[in-house]
Amino acid sequence: MDFALSAEHELIRESAAKFGRQVVVPDVQARDREARSDRAMLDRMAEAGLLGVGIPTAYGGPGADYLSLGIVCEELERADSSARVVLSVHNGLHALTLLQWGAEEQRKRWLPALAAGSKIGAFALTEPNAGSDAANLTTRARKDGESYVLNGEKTWISLADYADQVLVVARLESAPAGVAPYVALIVSRDLEGFSSKPLKGKLGVRAGNTGQIFFENVRVPADARLGEEGDGFKVAMSALDHGRYTVASGAVGIIAACLDACATYAHDRKVGGEEIGKKQLVQQMIANMVAGRDIGRLLYYQVGWMKNAGLRHTREVSLAKWQNCNAAFQAANDAVEIHGAYGYCDEFPVERYFRNSRGAMIYEGTREIHTLMQAEYALGYRVDKPLKHSLPAWTV
Ligand code: CAA
């Protein structure tokens, strides 16, 4: 067992942190206040090579492994959740799922442009009446010759208005007996009948784009299907294995950001002539943040290591996502507490961390879903079977 990060990992951490400090942080307070996402941010991320992290060099990636993806997510979310969400959706939910399930021809067709960031990918599973109960989705795909005709509506889709292509999970009409009624399709935005619109009034991640996507008789070529007919739900669950990893690692970045803000404030703010950092109740909250950050890193590093080794990690990533998001929300709540009235306004960043960390307890599996999953694993009700298609182990 080796707990040390390699020199390459340290380097990628530093360059992602620098990107966060220099590109994301300067205008994030204004963009969050105005609920304004910025398409140009994706180009800046592409230029910095961030949109290819986790994609093997054989498909145009920069050679940064799956653990690097977690490290980058941590550092980006230290700056703002909206930057990390881009990687969750584009690199995690979309590109890694394509790598896992795509035939060689499909990987070659799509991954190089995704790695370069010249195409942006998103993931559409959730619907107005299918959230935690994802299997209840009603967007329909009807096979018609060499195409699927897609009709329906997806919601809460990050990058809905910016994605060039979306991994869509739909209900397969007239599925043959014994075939699960789900299909996964890579749907290009330029197909006729595809439209999207942004969602307004979010509590958090206000500097990021989230929207609805509508399909009206969208004719998707059959060669854009990932896996076989019937694999759609499994493709979706695989995508969540990747997305949850990025959320778990990003959550550690929120805790680190809370710690940064609180350590500074605890030294600056004085009560009765003494720094509030000397107060034991403040120290308790600071100590909890340190624990959340360091335990959270161990949890996501383990998942990164399992990904690199080509091991199934559905249980471990659910645990990491659940625990790290809980710890991030606790840290952000305590950060507001430490800042007092200043924590209640956007002069300081901690109120943004508080709002952003709340969302991560809902998306990519609610706190309740992960609680149930962990109990089911422990009780033997849930057992992970070998996968039909695994994420390829990382080979340099
Ligand atoms: N990889 C591959 N296959 C998997 C899998 C995985 N990680 N997890 C499950 N499967 C397979 C199972 O082996 C099973 O296969 P068989 O039928 O051959 O046995 C099949 O998929 C069904 O699995 P389950 O029995 O576990 O299905 P379930 O109905 O019990 O799942 C659930 C319940 C775990 C709660 C699941 O519905 C779930 O995770 N719900 C939460 C959905 C979610 O996280 N949504 C967020 C969407 S993304 C988002 O938030 C927005 C955004 O923009 C990012």
Side-chain angles (χ1 to χ4, degrees), residues 89 93 100-101 123 125-126 131-135 155-158 233-235 237-238 240-241 244 312 314 362-366 369-370 373 376 382-385 387:
V89 173
L93 291 163
Q100 180 174 350
W101 283 87
F123 173 70
L125 172 66
T126 302
S132 292
D133 184 13
T155 194
W156 291 112
I157 308 306
S158 304
F233 192 75
K234 293 179 188 181
V235 173
M237 292 297 117
S238 302
L240 291 170
D241 284 348
R244 288 168 181 172
R312 182 161 181 188
T314 306
I362 300 170
Y363 54 70
E364 305 228 20
T366 60
I369 286 291
H370 292 293
M373 285 177 72
E376 287 169 8
R382 178 174 289 275
V383 178
D384 287 343
K385 295 185 282 193
L387 295 174

Side-chain angles (χ1 to χ4, degrees), residues 91-311:
N91 303 47
L93 291 163
H94 190 96
L96 291 195
T97 312
L98 221 162
L99 177 65
Q100 180 174 350
W101 283 87
E104 189 56 16
E105 179 280 318
Q106 293 177 314
R107 292 171 172 184
K108 286 188 171 138
R109 191 183 342 159
W110 286 309
L111 287 174
L114 293 167
S118 53
K119 294 263 191 237
I120 298 296
F123 173 70
L125 172 66
T126 302
E127 298 182 0
N129 287 309
S132 292
D133 184 13
N136 193 38
L137 56 86
T138 58
T139 292
R140 304 177 309 285
R142 175 172 53 81
K143 187 81 191 285
D144 183 27
E146 285 309 297
S147 306
Y148 291 92
V149 179
L150 201 57
N151 279 286
E153 175 185 342
K154 298 285 181 180
T155 194
W156 291 112
I157 308 306
S158 304
L159 305 182
D161 301 297
Y162 298 150
D164 298 288
Q165 57 190 51
V166 182
L167 167 49
V168 177
V169 186
R171 183 170 293 277
L172 181 62
E173 286 186 3
S174 315
V179 171
Y182 304 100
V183 67
L185 302 168
I186 300 287
V187 182
S188 174
R189 167 179 295 278
D190 55 22
L191 292 175
E192 203 178 323
F194 183 114
S195 61
S196 69
K197 78 170 188 210
L199 283 164
K200 302 282 184 200
K202 286 181 296 179
L203 175 70
V205 199
R206 291 186 181 163
N209 169 254
T210 313
Q212 292 168 280
I213 299 183
F214 306 91
F215 308 101
E216 205 180 326
N217 292 319
V218 178
R219 191 166 277 275
V220 185
D223 68 1
R225 187 187 66 222
L226 284 190
E228 302 296 324
E229 289 188 347
D231 286 339
F233 192 75
K234 293 179 188 181
V235 173
M237 292 297 117
S238 302
L240 291 170
D241 284 348
H242 309 315
R244 288 168 181 172
Y245 171 59
T246 63
V247 177
S249 46
V252 174
I254 294 197
I255 303 172
C258 289
L259 205 43
D260 289 344
C262 290
T264 303
Y265 190 80
H267 284 304
D268 289 351
R269 181 76 176 175
K270 297 193 177 54
V271 171
E274 186 180 62
E275 293 181 2
I276 63 166
K278 297 280 185 185
K279 308 285 181 198
Q280 288 184 335
L281 292 180
V282 170
Q283 290 184 353
Q284 163 120 67
M285 291 187 269
I286 299 273
N288 283 343
M289 290 177 201
V290 173
R293 180 195 62 189
D294 289 3
I295 293 168
R297 276 191 187 139
L298 291 175
L299 286 171
Y300 94 72
Y301 284 178
Q302 182 196 11
V303 176
W305 174 82
M306 293 180 83
K307 280 183 175 308
N308 279 350
L311 300 171

Side-chain angles (χ1 to χ4, degrees), residues 28-49:
V28 74
Q29 186 211 41
R31 290 199 293 118
D32 188 83
R33 194 179 269 171
E34 296 158 21
R36 174 167 52 84
S37 65
D38 181 6
R39 175 66 182 78
M41 180 62 71
L42 301 184
D43 297 331
R44 305 285 297 272
M45 293 175 95
E47 280 160 26

Side-chain angles (χ1 to χ4, degrees), residues 262 284-285 288-289 329-339:
C262 290
Q284 163 120 67
M285 291 187 269
N288 283 343
M289 290 177 201
F329 183 64
Q330 183 64 52
N333 193 28
D334 286 347
V336 171
E337 188 82 18
I338 288 172
H339 283 70

